[in-house]
Amino acid sequence: MPLDWGAAMLSWQADSIKGFLLHLVLLSTAWETGSGQLQYSISEESQHGTFVGRIAQDLGLEVSELVPRMFRLVSKDRKDYLEVNVQNGILFVNSRIDREELCAASVVCMIHLEALVDKPLRVFHVEVEILDINDNAPVFPLIEKHFAIAESSIRDAQFPLEGASDADTNANSLLTYKLSPNAHFTLAVTENYEHSASLFLVLKKPLDREESTVHHLLLTATDGGQPQLTGTVQLVIKVLDANDNPPAFNQSIYKVQLFENSDSGLLAISLNVTDLDEGANKEVSYISSSFSPPNGKEKFVLDQETGEIHVKGSIDFEDRNFYEIQVEAKDKGNPPLSGHCKVLIEVLDVNDNAPEVTVSSLSVPVPENSSPGTVVALISISDRDSGANGQVTCSLWPPGLPFKLTSTFKNYYSLVLAEPLDREQVAEYSLVLIAQDQGDPPLTASSSVVVPISDMNDNAPTFAQPSYTVFVRENNPPGAHIFTVSASDPDVAENALVSYWLDEKLWPLSSYISVHSESGKLYALQPLDYEELKLLEFQVRAKDAGLPSLCGNVTVQVFVLDENDNAPAVSGLAEDTPIQVKVPVAAGHLVGKIHALDGDSGYNAWLRYELYDASSGPWRVGLYSGEISTTRALDESEGSNIQSLLVLVKDHGKPVLSTTATFSVSLVASAQAVQSDAHLSRMGGSRKPLADTANLYLIIAICSVSSLFLLVILVYVALRCQSEEKEAMMYGPGTATLVCASEVGSWSYSNRHSHILAGVSGEAGAKSDLMVFSPNIPVLAENGKELVPNAVGQVSCSNSF
């Protein structure tokens, strides 16, 4: 019998070792084909500094780049069992590792590490398997076990024994048992469940209490490690008389399944025994002799009278998923007999743990010029449940954001940029990472991540419109502020700090115009003279302070407005030589003509002529023509008379500027006609008869006045002038602009920038002066109101007097 049992044990150990090696081969193959990461192995209890592996070489990293790229190890359980020497790239043991403390009774014990490097950010997953060594000897629950066996016990009667436990795994925990030599008992071992073996003390020879009342045996347990370790228990057997039939369970092993979180007081199982005796020998009480693990007595309670096992405390699958209870049923005979059974309780998982989301290595803020695929953060998820309850998927909310999740390893994700960014549209993103398991019902967890976007100088300064038109009166004071340009930049900080300067590529402007580099204010550096310069056209450029800087530009047109700063000047008149007029002459005879010029423009240059003393003499002067003629007939009695006429020449400006001219007339007799006609021709007179000349001027004047009046009426009806602006200085934005100058006269500019619609009439005394400009911005009057365009996109105004 012992030889057969020993052979069976050796065969069982060999099969177990083969299965374990096969399991390791399959696990290694699955790792190599599935994970693509690193795996090392190290024995537990290794000394500090023990070599584990050349991790830098295995990860394809140069040792010289470990420090610059901030190589570091992150352990999932946050313990520093292992460390890397960044000087040589070797992974070594940093602190004592106790496999039993770390992984309890798990077959495979792994330490999960994450190796992180920056620039660029990468993560490598490293697993280090902790190999078991035979550092734990088998341990029995008791040092000494007492039995009471009736002498009437039959041959081959079996008495259950509690086996030893070994905290090691695999071959180191494979136990063999040996009973000290004796004449009455032998040991039987039955592998009846995957968690433990059942030991029985078998009676091979009937007991004789009169021969011996107590038997002392030694039970030894030996593990399969190298070297082998042993544990012992002392068996003390007391031989009893009388009660021949012990209680008997209908099963030696009971298996029960319970869901975790079962309510306290729930019935797990009801045990039942039979006893063929009668009376007190048949009355049975139940005793829970042992619990495995020991805290099982806090989870379950056995009713000694009924044999029912109830849930007592909280059952958590994640804490412990298996319990074993040894139950003894003892009758009340004298001596009492007992029966034994084992209750195995398996705890089933329910989905009671929500996933956990952990965000690490968050690289913010993200530059707006980052390319798609840039890693923003590393995310890991976990769930303490098992099976489908522990399978977790991760998603990103809200949808439509320029980010996506990329799976890098089981339960590890990278938050990467999916689309280009624009900080001017969105400066910050709020993301929610949602993890959901596959349980029923599913549980979820979330983690919020804020991703700010940093600015890049990708926007040039821009002006509100492509060009500005500015009107400035001449003779302005030096340094006068004439306009302000302003550019905007949607960037921030120095990327939006704008400075201004003039573009002098076309022609130099430094002597005329300057711009304040910060405010954009335009200044006229010297007085402007309309007679010399009518239009300044230049570009103002705006540049931000980004690196590299970006520029924008705007065209500015400065029109110089005329002031009445030039008095009329008379030309072609010789005062020392009088005009000779032969007498007699009729009334209205043209004697001569005064011609004057004015350096101004428009009304400021429109001249009119008056006699300084209109009451003296038979003379008159044309109001606008400057022609001097007689007011009455002259006869020969007035001959040999020299008269001086003082003619006053005025313009229509405000204030009015004037000058005087002296005109001398000498009245001669008819014999001097030839000299008078010749001199009159030299001064602008005519050889024709006076009546014909006067008629000709009258016809021309009447036709001019009629034509001009008709033209003014047509222009007035077409343009519908609404207001008159006197001495207005106008500048501002707009489209096609019509400007009235003043009561008389008109502004005149180059043909490129202005069109004169109506001119000065003759002596009719009425005038309507219009000028149209075509800048890009509307004109503002002095009161700040905008002149409203008419149906054809122009603004009209007129003056008459």
Side-chain angles (χ1 to χ4, degrees), residues 61-108:
L61 301 174
E62 296 293 336
V63 175
S64 58
E65 67 180 351
L66 295 183
V67 174
R69 295 186 64 184
M70 297 179 64
F71 181 90
R72 57 197 181 276
L73 279 183
V74 178
S75 176
K76 185 175 182 182
D77 54 8
R78 302 294 189 268
K79 294 184 178 180
D80 57 345
Y81 292 121
L82 302 169
E83 190 55 71
V84 174
N85 187 338
V86 295
Q87 304 301 322
N88 54 24
I90 293 177
L91 180 66
F92 63 93
V93 175
N94 187 46
S95 61
R96 174 181 174 271
I97 304 175
D98 187 351
R99 186 190 183 286
E100 288 71 34
E101 177 185 350
L102 183 64
C103 300
S106 298
V107 176
V108 179

Side-chain angles (χ1 to χ4, degrees), residues 577-619:
T577 304
I579 299 296
Q580 294 183 353
V581 180
K582 67 179 182 178
V583 293
V585 294
H589 177 74
L590 179 63
V591 177
K593 182 177 182 179
I594 293 178
H595 182 66
L597 298 176
D598 195 313
D600 295 320
S601 177
Y603 287 176
N604 296 329
W606 187 21
L607 306 179
R608 65 185 192 179
Y609 304 85
E610 300 175 1
L611 288 176
Y612 185 78
D613 186 7
S615 62
S616 64
W619 311 104

Side-chain angles (χ1 to χ4, degrees), residues 28-275:
S28 175
T29 303
W31 174 267
E32 293 176 356
T33 59
S35 67
Q37 304 297 311
L38 294 182
Q39 183 180 23
Y40 300 101
S41 62
I42 186 69
S43 297
E44 64 172 326
E45 305 295 341
S46 296
Q47 298 295 323
H48 173 76
T50 301
F51 173 85
V52 179
R54 300 185 182 276
I55 188 171
Q57 177 180 340
D58 297 337
L59 292 177
L61 301 174
E62 296 293 336
V63 175
S64 58
E65 67 180 351
L66 295 183
V67 174
R69 295 186 64 184
M70 297 179 64
F71 181 90
R72 57 197 181 276
L73 279 183
V74 178
S75 176
K76 185 175 182 182
D77 54 8
R78 302 294 189 268
K79 294 184 178 180
D80 57 345
Y81 292 121
L82 302 169
E83 190 55 71
V84 174
N85 187 338
V86 295
Q87 304 301 322
N88 54 24
I90 293 177
L91 180 66
F92 63 93
V93 175
N94 187 46
S95 61
R96 174 181 174 271
I97 304 175
D98 187 351
R99 186 190 183 286
E100 288 71 34
E101 177 185 350
L102 183 64
C103 300
S106 298
V107 176
V108 179
C109 183
M110 291 287 185
I111 294 179
H112 298 275
L113 304 174
E114 292 178 3
L116 303 175
V117 292
D118 292 336
K119 302 177 183 178
L121 178 63
R122 294 188 62 188
V123 60
F124 304 93
H125 299 279
V126 181
E127 291 184 347
V128 179
E129 182 180 6
I130 307 304
L131 304 178
D132 183 47
I133 65 173
N134 193 24
D135 59 340
N136 292 280
V139 177
F140 286 93
L142 298 173
I143 300 176
E144 188 175 87
K145 177 68 174 177
H146 293 265
F147 290 89
I149 301 177
E151 64 174 346
S152 58
S153 298
I154 63 175
R155 182 189 290 270
D156 296 330
Q158 295 184 348
F159 305 93
L161 300 174
E162 292 181 58
S165 61
D166 195 326
D168 296 323
T169 60
N170 301 326
N172 295 329
S173 64
L174 296 178
L175 303 180
T176 58
Y177 297 90
K178 181 179 180 181
L179 188 63
S180 61
N182 65 94
H184 293 278
F185 297 93
T186 186
L187 185 65
V189 180
T190 303
E191 292 295 329
N192 49 25
Y193 195 71
E194 61 270 26
H195 294 280
S196 64
S198 296
L199 302 180
F200 297 93
L201 191 63
V202 181
L203 183 62
K204 64 178 181 180
K205 180 181 179 181
L207 296 174
D208 186 359
R209 191 184 66 84
E210 287 71 39
E211 179 181 347
S212 177
T213 59
V214 177
H215 297 269
H216 294 276
L217 304 177
L218 184 65
L219 178 61
T220 302
T222 305
D223 62 24
Q226 293 293 333
Q228 293 180 335
L229 300 178
T230 61
T232 60
V233 60
Q234 186 75 30
L235 303 180
V236 178
I237 303 171
K238 182 179 180 181
V239 181
L240 301 177
D241 248 348
N243 194 14
D244 297 334
N245 294 289
F249 291 91
N250 56 358
Q251 293 180 224
S252 60
I253 296 176
Y254 295 88
K255 297 180 181 180
V256 181
Q257 290 183 332
L258 291 177
F259 285 103
E260 64 173 328
N261 304 326
S262 295
D263 296 335
S264 181
L266 177 68
L267 176 63
I269 190 174
S270 180
L271 302 176
N272 187 27
V273 297
T274 58
D275 194 318

Side-chain angles (χ1 to χ4, degrees), residues 8 34 130 176 206 301 405 426 495 497 524 610 696 719 796:
I130 307 304
T176 58
V301 60
L405 287 175
V426 181
N495 295 332
L497 185 61
E610 300 175 1
L696 178 61
L719 300 180
S796 61

Side-chain angles (χ1 to χ4, degrees), residues 368 370-374 400-404 416-422 429:
E368 64 175 323
S370 298
S371 59
T374 301
L401 298 180
F403 299 93
K404 65 179 180 179
V416 300
L417 185 62
E419 300 174 6
L421 300 173
D422 188 356
Y429 292 91

